[in-house]
Amino acid sequence: MSLRRIVSSAFASLTLVLASVAAVTLTAGPAAANPCGFYETASDAYYHHCTSDGSHIVIEIDDWGPNSERCVVPGVTWIGSSSDIDGAWYTGRTC
């Protein structure tokens, strides 16, 4: 095999790998920004109710003391400081 073919094959393989990595990054990027359910940043805790039906749901929040409940609407809801909240989950009820 000639040197020219080897270089061309290596370049084509590298281009394919880079294109695949870029496609995965673009696909995962927006979803990772606001995942469904509970998530937190360095300072804040959120619950993202992902729905297209407009339902309001009850979530249970694991905070200091007894857990609390809150009704959340579709979209992202701030539920408190990340230092005060350990988690939140859907209770199976609507409100």
Side-chain angles (χ1 to χ4, degrees):
M1 195 183 271
S2 71
L3 181 60
R4 179 186 234 175
R5 273 194 171 160
I6 293 172
V7 171
S8 294
S9 294
F11 181 71
S13 296
L14 179 61
T15 303
L16 182 62
V17 167
L18 291 176
S20 297
V21 168
V24 168
T25 301
L26 289 175
T27 302
N34 290 331
C36 294
F38 172 77
Y39 70 95
E40 57 188 356
T41 64
S43 59
D44 297 300
Y46 299 92
Y47 191 89
H48 187 187
H49 175 37
C50 299
T51 186
S52 59
D53 67 5
S55 62
H56 298 192
I57 62 168
V58 177
I59 62 169
E60 185 171 344
I61 301 170
D62 184 3
D63 47 13
W64 290 98
N67 290 354
S68 60
E69 290 186 344
R70 179 187 258 174
C71 180
V72 296
V73 299
V76 177
T77 302
W78 180 81
I79 57 174
S81 170
S82 60
S83 62
D84 295 335
I85 308 293
D86 289 328
W89 54 91
Y90 173 50
T91 63
R93 301 187 331 253
T94 57
C95 50

